Every structure is written in structure tokens, then in C-alpha cells.
Amino acid sequence: MGDIVHTFPGHVTRYWGMPNIRWIPLPDRGTLRFALVWRTEAGNDLVRAPAATVRDLGVLRF
């Protein structure tokens, strides 16, 4: 029918500002944890470089 409900971390509203999407906060939801992942066999220098930066930055809290 063209409608969907999907939960996202709150910070996506800063980066995905689209006029056709309504962001509704879910204050009782709690923290949504996520991480970067990739297949081991897909690892190469293009993957390792940004992964090293993320690893160096550590956990970011929004």
C-alpha cells in the first residue's frame, strides 16, 4: 500500500531529512545498537582503512 514502519536510531533524522518521510520518536524504545560488519572474504584495503578509523574512534554515543 506504499506505507512502512521501520525503527531507526534518532540521529538519522539529521542526515536523512526527506519531506516525504515522517519521523515519529519512540521515547520508550531505548537505545538501538548497531555496528559495521562485512564478510571476511570481502576484506581488502578499501574496507580495512575506514574500519581502522572507526576502530580508532571507538564507540560513539548519540
Side-chain angles (χ1 to χ4, degrees), residues 13 17 22 31 33 37 45 54 58:
T13 60
R22 176 183 284 176
T31 303
R33 297 173 183 241
V37 295
D45 290 339
V54 170

Side-chain angles (χ1 to χ4, degrees), residues 12-49:
V12 300
T13 60
R14 286 184 269 171
Y15 306 107
W16 288 4
M18 293 182 242
N20 59 332
I21 293 180
R22 176 183 284 176
W23 299 103
I24 302 172
L26 302 172
D28 297 334
R29 168 64 179 88
T31 303
L32 179 60
R33 297 173 183 241
F34 56 97
L36 297 174
V37 295
W38 61 86
R39 296 184 332 266
T40 302
E41 64 272 9
N44 59 44
D45 290 339
L46 292 174
V47 170
R48 288 183 200 101

